Amino acid sequence: MKPFKTEKYTDFTKAVNRKKMEKAIAHVESQFGKEYSIIIGGKRIRLDNKFHSYNPSKKGEIIGTFQKADEQAAEQAMQVALETFESWRYTPAKTRASYLFKMANIMRRRRFELNAWMVLEEGKNWLEADADVAEAIDFCDYYAHEALRYDKGPNLYKFPGEINRQVYIPLGVGIVIPPWNFPLAILAGMTTAAFVSGNTVILKPSSDSPGIAAMFMEIVEEAKVPVGVVNFLTGPGAIAGDYLVRHPKTRFVAFTGSKPVGLRIVEQAGKTQPGQIWIKRVVAEMGGKDLIIVDSEADIDSAVAGVRTAAFSFQGQKCSACSRLILDDKIYDEFMKKFIPTVEAIKVGPVSEYDNYVGPVINESAYDSILEYIKIGKSEGNCVCGGESAPGDGWFIRPTVIVDIERQHRIFQEEIFGPVLGVTRARNFDHAIELANDSEYGLTGAVYTKNKKKIEKAKREVFVGNLYINRKCTGALVGIQPFGGFNMSGTDSKAGGPDYLMLFTQAKAITEYIGRKRKIRKKPVRKSKK
Ligand code: NAD
């Protein structure tokens, strides 16, 4: 078995890779309009009610048709998952892990096709889509290695007359509810972590990304994961989600998404239902209001590049995206003079074209909400860049920078989830940290400074789950930067880290009494006097 290593990104400066990507985009476009089933116990099922997935770069263009699962389908999936759990729970870890290694290899083989799905269905640019697939591969590989490590159990101290072990056993049936913005990576990460640990899963993807989720299910099937281990329900969050979250047989919920939905799930899962004999475990990773501090002693050019990427890559639709820029007064003018032209130079448009760095936001309601926030931002501060929609057929919004934002402003406090950056002045480094920590969220943050004492202070005092020094606050790597946030950013589950599988298991300590070995006193041998 090869040791875990993160997957390399595709080099799109090479013509050969650009050609492969163009071909993959054309292939996925040729599949537009197909209908996809829900999958329960390996059976493909069509329902009366359907919904569409759309291309956000081209309003109204239908990617595919999907089933709206109802409570009856959800119940059917629960029964199959419960039944399958009885055999899957005892399947050796080595066998379970082998499915994840296979899935990683299938994703490597289908990389360009998977990239193309996310370009067309979620409006990711080529680099972002490719990074999403790389992360999904990493999750499969990493959690497979982790399952084997957990299987060995921890080291315990020895005790005479006993054999003591601690084993990690699965929980039961879990509901996996991923967001649309990392539609393959997060979905694959939560699902594989759950089932490699011996649980069975009902996967309900976001209604904005059911197409790439259907591709994930193809990969699960191609890897020959036993039927019923992963059951696939598309449809509205509220119906299938609420029903399953409340279900007395649901043992755990793995959720990543917004704060309001996450808190609702925590609340619903907290109510004990008749017949429920356990406390449901909830892994809930939620929103962010992430910050970058640029200190008076920072490398300004490197900070400019870092802030630009962290704020505007994938249209600012990352939980880790920088939406609060805190600039020390002393370098404010120098930073902004360099920064604004680089933002104005960003090309916005359909991301099926490689040159467009910023694509559309995900859908009409996101578009309306972001434009509303820009209006609020203009009333709270001053818009110096963007501030409007961009021309084109999709949900395009120009990268927007709003200055003179104060800590009490909504632009400073609320998650916008779009290409909008608020800029706040700090009197000095201490003030910058005070501003950074003035948030109900605590997901990611970055600090640019060359001063060693300030670096140490930031490490101690900036209250976020993922802190970066002298680099951008997005782009955590599996196995290298375990990911998850504090406070209203969630349960700090640290996806892609060594503690993650613990959340999908329960530890059982087993003591076997074998009796103390009695010391047999040897009788002294008398020497014969012969
Ligand atoms: P969302 O909360 O709208 O939806 C997330 C998932 O919940 C979707 O699958 C949706 O169908 C489902 N859902 C909706 N209502 C539900 C209900 N009542 N019961 C059960 N499930 C329900 O979030 P989104 O728009 O898909 O994703 C964006 C959000 O996710 C942002 O807030 C972002 O910060 C957050 N996010 C967080 C992380 C992290 O690791 N902390 C990572 C990615 C995204």
Side-chain angles (χ1 to χ4, degrees), residues 42-61:
K43 289 201 188 92
R44 295 187 133 63
I45 302 168
R46 299 272 166 103
L47 301 169
D48 290 341
N49 293 321
K50 327 249 180 214
F51 69 100
H52 299 305
S53 167
Y54 294 96
N55 177 359
S57 290
K58 219 182 211 181
K59 291 175 200 165
E61 184 168 64

Side-chain angles (χ1 to χ4, degrees), residues 177-181 186 204-206 237-238 241-242 255-258 261 264-265 285-288 319 415 417 443 483 489:
I177 309 174
W180 59 266
N181 74 323
I186 293 182
K204 201 226 69 72
S206 162
D242 277 0
F255 168 82
T256 305
S258 63
V261 176
R264 183 185 168 82
I265 288 174
E285 291 311 308
M286 312 193 297
C319 55
E415 186 182 46
F417 221 57
L443 190 48
F483 191 78
S489 289

Side-chain angles (χ1 to χ4, degrees), residues 106-157:
I106 297 168
M107 287 183 196
R108 286 186 184 104
R109 199 185 72 232
R110 295 178 65 171
R111 178 127 180 201
F112 287 91
E113 180 199 353
L114 296 169
N115 287 353
W117 266 96
M118 284 186 277
V119 166
L120 294 165
E121 193 181 43
E122 284 78 38
K124 288 206 169 203
N125 74 22
W126 294 17
L127 299 165
E128 293 293 333
D130 189 66
D132 198 313
V133 182
E135 194 178 355
I137 295 170
D138 289 344
F139 276 134
C140 290
D141 255 353
Y142 180 74
Y143 291 143
H145 279 96
E146 281 294 286
L148 298 174
R149 182 173 71 82
Y150 272 72
D151 192 44
K152 290 188 190 130
N155 288 330
L156 301 175
Y157 286 101

Side-chain angles (χ1 to χ4, degrees), residues 183-196:
L184 185 63
I186 293 182
L187 178 148
M190 293 200 296
T191 309
T192 55
F195 83 78
V196 81

